[in-house]
Amino acid sequence: MSPPDPAAFLRQLFQAGLDAVSADTILPRLLTPEALPRPKGRTLVIAAGKGAAAMAAVAERAWGEAPLSGLAVTRYHHGQDLRRITLVEAAHPTPDAAGMKAAAQALDLAAALTPDDLLLCLLSGGGSALMVAPAPGVTLADKQALTKALLRSGAAIGEINTVRKHLSRFKGGRLAAVSKAPVVTLAVSDVPGDDPGTIASGPTVPDATTLADARAVLARYGIEPAPSIRAALDDPANETPKPGSLPHARYTLAATPIQALEAAAQVARAAGVTPLVLGDDLEGESAEVAKVHAGIARACLRHGQPLPRPCVLLSGGETSVTVRGQGRGGRNAEFLLALAVALKGDPVWALACDTDGIDGTEDNAGALLTPDTLARARSLGLDAAAHLANNDGYGFFQALGDLVVTGPTRTNVNDFRALYIP
């Protein structure tokens, strides 16, 4: 059995992964009255992240006519119509005033709950930037500048969120801490290792990291923050709730990156292609991760190891890019550009996309690599290595017409990579 043409096959795998972790797929079974009994009082929904609107819509349908209200905060252009839950759109990855206003409102709503009520938190990737409630003395401008510095530094998402949690009145368990009502969280994981404390910076779970850890992250990457941030990270009052606190909070992972990869693997098998999941939590510099993937693909080509052809290598996680150039491009475009340089035209097809539909800050989900990518680039006068040095994966693949543009997917289990070897 032979699969469809390679580009269509890779897109089919990606779509299967997206479908497996959509709100409509994952949430209904978790929101039945049997799975989540309705409270005596009212239910307040606080949804945050790129999947917030879709998750809130499923909650509205599941609750029927039972009392339900709340707030869903998502990235600009990621919203959808809601009937009873107020929708707010805000900026990502650098927070803005809309996100700050929404976070303050969410804290006030949660603080007004009684023990007879329920706080239902629906979290997905992006929640950290979208719900910004600066610690006392820290301005929004200070947090914006720090966020940009962290994103450009190459720091891993867990390190970034360690800092965020200690500069926030919302993150690191603080949302749950203000609620007298039971707290139930359903989360879509976009982080390597699926750590609840890292997903949206864990607003409803105790935090094992410390102020000292946050200071160490800034030191590790040579980031000199504003004086207000330095003071906040030295203030014991900004320490987060620790393990053993928040006994009224319950947490469930509704979707994880491995679910998307397993769904893609199932589609591959049905097409007669052997899949290998290399991991769902890969981290590191995009270009370095690409070199490792290239080495495994070449081993399949030349030796039939670890898989004979036809096969597909699948991986997820969240790579990072230390930005040194002036180009445009997210971590998935960077991965593919480095992969192209490493493969040198070997007969490998690849797709790398962010499952939220946004690669970094651009308008594409990712891109597609073909065996003739370098040859086509040369015919257009494009130097792949120069584009890579300039962190310009977007510009490179845009010129070739090989960007993958999905628009907002309203879910997020982070990177999805597939290397197909016919």
Side-chain angles (χ1 to χ4, degrees):
M1 180 187 298
S2 60
D5 77 270
F9 176 58
L10 289 171
R11 289 175 182 270
Q12 182 184 14
L13 298 183
F14 182 45
Q15 188 60 53
L18 293 179
D19 291 344
V21 295
S22 72
D24 287 332
T25 299
I26 62 174
L27 286 186
R29 64 181 178 82
L30 299 173
L31 292 174
T32 64
E34 295 75 24
L36 183 54
R38 305 325 187 216
K40 294 179 182 177
R42 59 197 179 95
T43 299
L44 173 69
V45 173
I46 300 296
K50 296 170 190 173
M55 296 175 80
V58 176
E60 285 188 337
R61 293 195 298 270
W63 241 246
E65 299 306 314
L68 179 116
S69 62
L71 185 67
V73 186
T74 193
R75 182 177 175 155
Y76 291 115
H77 311 302
H78 284 59
Q80 65 185 70
D81 291 338
L82 299 174
R83 295 185 297 114
R84 290 181 283 172
I85 297 170
T86 301
L87 177 69
V88 175
E89 294 187 342
H92 180 280
T94 303
D96 68 357
M100 187 166 71
K101 181 179 178 181
Q105 184 180 357
L107 287 167
D108 288 342
L109 291 169
L113 295 173
T114 74
D116 287 334
D117 301 325
L118 172 67
L119 175 55
L120 175 59
C121 292
L122 305 174
L123 302 179
S124 55
S128 290
L130 293 165
M131 285 291 208
V132 55
V138 177
T139 68
L140 176 60
D142 292 337
K143 290 202 75 170
Q144 289 172 326
L146 180 63
T147 298
K148 291 177 181 177
L150 285 165
L151 291 173
R152 292 177 65 88
S153 72
I157 187 61
E159 295 173 311
I160 293 173
N161 286 356
T162 292
V163 177
R164 284 168 159 166
K165 285 185 280 192
H166 290 90
L167 295 170
S168 175
R169 294 177 292 110
F170 185 87
K171 303 175 178 67
R174 288 191 173 94
L175 175 62
V178 305
S179 173
K180 298 182 181 67
V183 181
V184 172
T185 301
L186 304 179
V188 176
S189 172
D190 70 321
V191 302
D194 305 327
D195 174 23
T198 303
I199 301 167
S201 292
T204 60
V205 293
D207 177 36
T209 69
T210 65
L211 285 162
D213 293 330
R215 294 191 296 266
V217 170
L218 298 186
R220 188 174 305 129
Y221 293 97
I223 296 172
E224 183 56 45
S228 65
I229 288 177
R230 178 65 66 189
L233 293 180
D234 286 334
D235 186 349
N238 291 323
E239 192 55 270
T240 47
K242 295 303 171 212
S245 61
L246 309 179
H248 62 307
R250 191 180 98 202
Y251 199 99
T252 299
L253 286 170
T256 61
I258 194 63
Q259 291 172 235
L261 297 175
E262 287 175 343
Q266 184 174 351
V267 170
R269 291 188 194 96
V273 176
T274 304
L276 175 63
V277 177
L278 298 176
D280 66 334
D281 61 352
L282 304 188
E283 296 183 271
E285 285 284 329
S286 289
E288 296 304 313
V289 174
K291 291 177 184 177
V292 175
H293 281 66
I296 299 172
R298 281 196 298 267
C300 294
L301 279 167
R302 297 171 184 172
H303 311 299
Q305 295 293 340
L307 293 177
R309 292 180 282 170
C311 60
V312 63
L313 306 174
L314 300 167
S315 72
E318 182 168 5
T319 61
S320 55
V321 177
T322 302
V323 180
R324 298 184 176 92
Q326 301 299 317
R328 297 174 64 188
R331 58 183 179 266
N332 289 290
E334 177 109 348
F335 170 88
L336 286 174
L337 185 49
L339 186 67
V341 171
L343 287 173
K344 299 181 175 66
D346 281 340
V348 176
W349 297 70
L351 175 146
C353 290
D354 197 316
T355 52
D356 64 8
I358 303 295
D359 189 18
T361 60
E362 301 297 344
D363 57 5
N364 64 312
L368 182 73
L369 173 72
T370 68
D372 65 351
T373 288
L374 291 182
R376 288 187 291 123
R378 284 192 293 269
S379 72
L380 296 175
L382 301 176
D383 184 328
H387 276 264
L388 182 60
N390 196 35
N391 302 123
D392 192 27
Y394 181 98
F396 182 85
F397 288 105
Q398 182 186 46
L400 294 174
D402 286 338
L403 294 177
V404 175
V405 180
T406 62
T409 64
R410 297 179 177 84
T411 189
N412 187 10
V413 292
N414 234 308
D415 298 339
F416 178 97
R417 294 176 290 269
L419 281 67
Y420 171 51
I421 304 154

